[in-house]
Structures are given as C-alpha cells and as structure tokens.
Amino acid sequence: MMSILLLATLGTIITGQLIRLDLLPNTALTLSDITVLVLVLAFFIKRTIKVKSIFLPKAYFLIFLFVITCIVSLLNSLTFLPPREVLISSMFLFRFILYSFLMVIVVNEVKKDQILNWQKAFLIFSLIFTIIGFLQFLFVPDLTKLQLH
C-alpha cells in the first residue's frame, strides 16, 4: 500500500499545476498535494495501528528548526498583516511540512534492498517529466496565453 502511494506521489509530480483545486483566492491544492496528504495520513495510521516507532533522520532537525522559525515569523506577521493573509501564508508552511514528511516516510518504509528499484522509478518519472517539459518547450514555448485575465 505504501509503495503504491509513494509511486502515485512520484507520478503526480508530472501533472504539476495542471490538475488543481482552487480553495480560496490565491490558494489551491494540486494533485501532488492531495497524494502527499493521503500518503502522510496513511503512514501515520499504519504506524499507530502497528505501534511502530518513527525514525527521524538527523537532517530532519534542521527542518524542525526552519518550521519553528516560520511559525514565529507567522505569529509576528499577525501584528501588521490581516489574518487572512497570514492564513494564506500558513498554508504554504503546511504544504512544506507535508512534503518534508516524505523524507521521513522514505527512510522508514523503503528497505535497503529496495533502494535500487526506487532509484530506477525516480529516474523513470524524472525522464518522463523532462521529456514532457521539452515537448512543451517545442510546441508551446509562449505560456502567456494560458494566463487568466
């Protein structure tokens, strides 16, 4: 199950901003955001049911410090920005936190003997993403026509 969700998360990177759900003005959820949210929730539910501990990589401490700094900054911005603007800004922090959990999930779920397979999958999705990007550059080099008016 977790492998399928991880592959789906990798695959949704290809869609980028094409599949998005507008929530508020200036705020939208992409297909990648939804799959990452489902993946993170499934991971925590699985770990809670199986009562397994979660290993946090050492690098995650730096992410934790960054998130604390962002929270302090958001709280400080309440003094000179409307709450609506702070709410929109906090959604970017929430998205960052969700995506940072990908590192924790990969470290806890991918076994050492599977790393080569995951590298191949990552390279395949990267290649597809790159090919689509080059095709877009060749056939639709000017994206200003896609702008909403």
Side-chain angles (χ1 to χ4, degrees), residues 51-138:
V51 191
K52 282 181 120 179
S53 61
I54 297 173
F55 173 73
L56 292 176
K58 290 179 183 176
Y60 208 76
F61 178 71
L62 298 174
I63 292 173
F64 178 74
L65 289 178
F66 178 76
V67 168
I68 294 297
T69 305
C70 290
I71 291 171
V72 170
S73 176
L74 280 170
L75 292 174
N76 185 40
S77 67
L78 280 169
T79 60
F80 55 88
L81 288 176
R84 185 174 179 280
E85 295 294 323
V86 176
L87 176 67
I88 291 171
S89 301
S90 66
M91 290 190 187
F92 288 105
L93 177 61
F94 180 69
R95 179 180 282 159
F96 175 80
I97 293 168
L98 273 181
Y99 278 85
S100 71
F101 276 125
L102 284 176
M103 176 174 53
V104 175
I105 293 170
V106 167
V107 166
N108 284 277
E109 291 294 324
V110 175
K111 307 293 182 251
K112 289 189 181 202
D113 60 335
Q114 298 173 330
I115 291 175
L116 190 60
N117 292 335
W118 280 103
Q119 285 177 335
K120 289 177 185 175
F122 185 76
L123 288 173
I124 289 169
F125 282 115
S126 299
L127 182 64
I128 293 169
F129 186 74
T130 303
I131 290 170
I132 291 172
F134 278 124
L135 290 173
Q136 179 263 308
F137 179 71
L138 290 173

